[in-house]
Amino acid sequence: SQKIEQNSEALNIQEGKTATLTCNYTNYSPAYLQWYRQDPGRGPVFLLLIRENEKEKRKERLKVTFDTTLKQSLFHITASQPADSATYLCAPYGGSQGNLIFGKGTKLSVKP
Amino acid sequence: ETGVTQSPTHLIKTRGQQVTLRCSSQSGHNTVSWYQQALGQGPQFIFQYYREEENGRGNFPPRFSGLQFPNYSSELNVNALELDDSALYLCASSLDRGANEKLFFGSGTQLSVL
């Protein structure tokens, strides 16, 4: 069955450093992959979408890569700030019903 | 703000009861998807509606049902509530149902089944 793994449940980094979050998927080949941010008690908020034929996508301090050979996406936040603290969800497209499948998320904490 | 609103924000029910959760999508969004998010987990796909017709369903039993209305509102109904139904229920609207559509989520309804 389709499976998504996000590298760790929690990631703690110092302000100003680059945060790197990993998303691995198995048993399917998504044509698109999205990343969302979720704050406690709130719904996820869309950040970036990357297509299978794109190697990299950037938006301000965010960068996403998509390696279809490794079946992996990396999500980077450069010059991280305490306000970046949240849970980040990886969501490759391609459920049996054509839906997004979400990973468990990685909780990022940026310390001042 | 995503322009997607859900009601109620919190709800407490007893096992065996029925519940209706409501969602108001962004105007012009033809697609609404419902997700269940248990504590510490990612959102799990329940089903999707496109132009008032069910357009896909996840691995949830038939006691989970939905409706989508022409005025961009929708409902999730759950019958015969079980303790394991306790979760955050999220609705998400999108312009269309394609693979490249980004989802706009509401803040969710926190359902507790006692």
Side-chain angles (χ1 to χ4, degrees), chain A residues 31-32 34 36 38 41-46 49 51 89 93 96-105, chain B residues 1 35 37 40-45 55-58 88 90 97-103 105-107:
Chain A
Y32 299 84
Q34 301 187 23
Y36 287 77
Q38 187 172 24
R42 308 298 297 271
V45 175
F46 171 80
L49 178 151
R51 296 170 173 76
L89 299 164
Y93 180 83
S96 60
Q97 299 296 315
N99 52 286
L100 287 180
I101 303 175
F102 283 86
K104 280 187 180 181
Chain B
E1 293 300 320
Y35 286 83
Q37 187 173 26
Q41 303 295 314
Q44 298 293 308
F45 176 69
N55 186 54
R57 189 178 185 92
L88 180 67
L90 297 161
R97 54 184 172 173
N100 60 343
E101 293 294 326
K102 62 184 181 182
L103 302 182
F105 283 87
S107 291

Side-chain angles (χ1 to χ4, degrees), chain A residues 53-86:
Chain A
N53 61 350
E54 297 176 315
K55 296 298 181 189
E56 184 178 294
K57 198 85 168 276
R58 291 175 185 261
K59 178 183 175 183
E60 297 172 353
R61 296 185 294 112
L62 309 181
K63 185 178 86 171
V64 172
T65 62
F66 194 6
D67 189 325
T68 55
T69 301
L70 289 179
K71 291 186 179 291
Q72 181 182 80
S73 175
L74 298 179
F75 178 83
H76 307 271
I77 305 175
T78 58
S80 60
Q81 305 164 1
D84 295 326
S85 298

Side-chain angles (χ1 to χ4, degrees), chain B residues 36-89:
Chain B
Q36 180 196 66
Q37 187 173 26
L39 194 61
Q41 303 295 314
Q44 298 293 308
F45 176 69
I46 303 175
F47 44 57
Q48 183 185 82
Y49 279 78
Y50 173 74
R51 295 184 185 268
E52 301 157 51
E53 297 283 335
E54 187 176 291
N55 186 54
R57 189 178 185 92
N59 190 27
F60 280 80
R63 59 189 185 84
F64 285 78
S65 63
L67 287 170
Q68 185 187 26
F69 303 102
N71 64 350
Y72 303 111
S73 66
S74 58
E75 290 179 356
L76 164 64
N77 297 291
V78 187
N79 291 326
L81 283 167
E82 300 177 0
L83 298 180
D84 284 349
D85 295 333
S86 295
L88 180 67
Y89 288 85

